[in-house]
Amino acid sequence: MKTYKICLLPGDGIGPEIMAQACKVLDALARRFDIGFEYDKQLIGGCAIDATGQPLPEASLEAARHSDAVLLGAVGGPKWDSTDPNQPRPEQGLLRIRKELGLYANLRPVTVFDALAAASPLKPEIIEGVDLMIVRELTGGLYFGMRERFYDEDGSGPDGAKGQRAYDTLEYREYEIERIARHAFETAEKRRGRLHSVDKANVLETSRMWREIVHDIASDYPSVELFDMLVDNTAMQLVHNPGQFDVIVTENTFGDILSDEASMLSGSLGMLASASLGDGVALYEPSHGSAPDIAGLGIANPLAQILSVEMMLRYSLDEAQAADAIHQAVAAVLAEGWRTGDIADADTPADHRVGTDQMGDLIVERL
Ligand code: NAD
């Protein structure tokens, strides 16, 4: 029997509540399939600051490094909000673990479960069957380039007027584009074999290089059909015809904006998982935050966390069967009409409105 070591970082707010459901699901998978899970639970975020003064204690980082995968809940809350730049902040823990593990690829799937099509702001016929993945480059591009803001003494304004100037630079090295593109091709190979490489090659030099590199390596992935699309057109196509997309790969800033746009297709934050991958241990977490407004009430939707477990099984542990089983269980529970508060509507009968724990139990029953 194969046993996987999972580093658990529940974090703050609803993090521990939804993480408990993820563990129940993992234990159920262990009973059904010939696999085992060993958990190493550690601190991150506000709870880590309270216990150790650090948002990411060394013990947490070490546990993450020595695991097969890291499963994170969420960090943050009003208790640790401070305008004092010298105070440690919960999100510093997140930024540090991503940096230390070298996580340069962010995967955000958008799956519209048929039963939830009405929750989308788009018409059901546009949204039906949407199942796409955005692969965003996470450690380069515009967010990490050289930037400066200064007062221009040379007077480069109209009629020699002095004033402020600022610039940000978008820079990529060949290896950075190649490694994210390979992740995207490999992801497309495991899905429906369609890859849209999104750029602004009609204007930007980095985009022209991006396009060349992506095309150069495409021959290594003969089962994947490659399409180029300009980022402005992609923004439009995501609401016009999202069903055409399988995998989208793009630059850091483009990916940040497009993944937020795409997240609204599903209509609920409580359903969206994410993965951050590098060349070693990867990290899986829901896309939402710690929801301090509902923490401790037992009403948080655990499905984004449970769908993060699905991604972990698929991308880090290569347990596709177990991953599929989670997906089917979530689809079945939703099709039967079970809803946490965030995805319920006026048509949801009172006896199908459930809390965090019950939703976890329903998924476990299906497994
Ligand atoms: P949030 O995602 O925590 O919450 C936004 C709204 O969505 C809230 O009304 C919340 O109740 C609801 N919500 C979120 N997840 C839900 C779920 N699983 N089930 C039901 N409802 C859910 O965003 P926010 O309120 O802007 O931030 C709260 C805290 O989380 C802040 O401290 C912020 O810094 C932090 N945060 C952390 C992460 C992370 O850990 N990756 C990401 C975003 C925000």
Side-chain angles (χ1 to χ4, degrees), residues 1-218:
M1 186 181 79
K2 208 155 180 192
T3 298
Y4 299 105
K5 214 168 167 183
I6 312 296
C7 173
L8 302 177
L9 300 172
D12 309 313
I14 61 170
E17 299 167 48
I18 56 178
M19 185 65 84
Q21 312 312 312
C23 291
K24 283 201 303 212
V25 166
L26 282 167
D27 292 340
L29 289 170
R31 289 193 293 273
R32 174 166 160 191
F33 297 94
D34 193 26
I35 46 180
F37 299 101
E38 255 174 37
Y39 307 122
D40 188 353
K41 198 194 276 185
Q42 297 286 341
L43 299 172
I44 192 170
C47 59
I49 294 174
D50 287 350
T52 70
Q54 302 287 329
L56 183 70
E58 284 310 307
S60 302
L61 190 54
E62 277 310 294
R65 284 206 172 103
H66 291 101
S67 67
D68 293 306
V70 181
L71 194 59
L72 188 128
V75 300
K79 180 176 177 195
W80 303 281
D81 279 345
S82 162
T83 48
D84 179 353
N86 298 317
Q87 288 296 320
R89 296 181 61 89
E91 59 273 20
Q92 288 166 345
L94 258 187
L95 294 178
R96 174 139 187 253
I97 195 167
R98 286 178 185 151
K99 184 162 178 271
E100 294 285 341
L101 296 179
L103 307 176
Y104 57 79
N106 184 236
L107 271 63
R108 293 236 321 231
V110 177
T111 309
V112 178
F113 290 93
D114 288 347
L116 291 183
S120 172
L122 297 187
K123 294 191 190 103
E125 63 267 27
I126 291 181
I127 210 69
E128 210 179 348
V130 164
D131 177 9
L132 63 90
M133 175 80 80
I134 296 185
V135 179
R136 165 188 169 197
E137 202 288 326
L138 203 57
T139 55
L142 190 58
Y143 288 169
F144 287 85
M146 248 198 344
R147 69 185 49 136
E148 194 183 355
R149 177 167 158 179
F150 58 99
Y151 191 79
D152 191 356
E153 294 288 352
D154 292 342
S156 57
D159 304 324
K162 295 177 182 180
Q164 288 191 77
R165 276 172 76 177
Y167 61 84
D168 300 273
T169 45
L170 202 178
E171 185 176 355
Y172 269 119
R173 286 158 216 271
E174 190 173 344
Y175 82 92
E176 294 175 304
I177 297 173
E178 183 176 336
R179 66 184 184 179
I180 187 82
R182 287 197 184 278
H183 256 303
F185 276 109
E186 284 162 22
T187 306
E189 275 181 331
K190 288 182 183 173
R191 293 171 49 97
R192 301 191 303 280
R194 286 168 65 83
L195 176 62
H196 281 79
S197 172
V198 169
D199 59 37
K200 189 70 184 167
N202 53 344
V203 180
L204 301 176
E205 199 52 45
T206 39
S207 283
R208 286 190 275 271
M209 184 169 89
W210 178 287
R211 209 176 260 212
E212 263 174 42
I213 293 168
V214 170
H215 280 263
D216 280 352
I217 64 168

Side-chain angles (χ1 to χ4, degrees), residues 14 74-77 94 269-270 285 288-294 300-301 342:
I14 61 170
V75 300
L94 258 187
L269 217 49
E285 60 182 319
H288 58 71
S290 59
D293 53 335
I294 58 167
N301 184 349
D342 59 312

Side-chain angles (χ1 to χ4, degrees), residues 242-261:
Q244 70 187 291
F245 296 110
D246 178 15
V247 180
I248 290 172
V249 62
T250 194
E251 185 267 340
N252 199 341
T253 313
F254 296 162
D256 189 12
I257 298 167
L258 292 178
S259 59
D260 264 29
E261 183 192 358

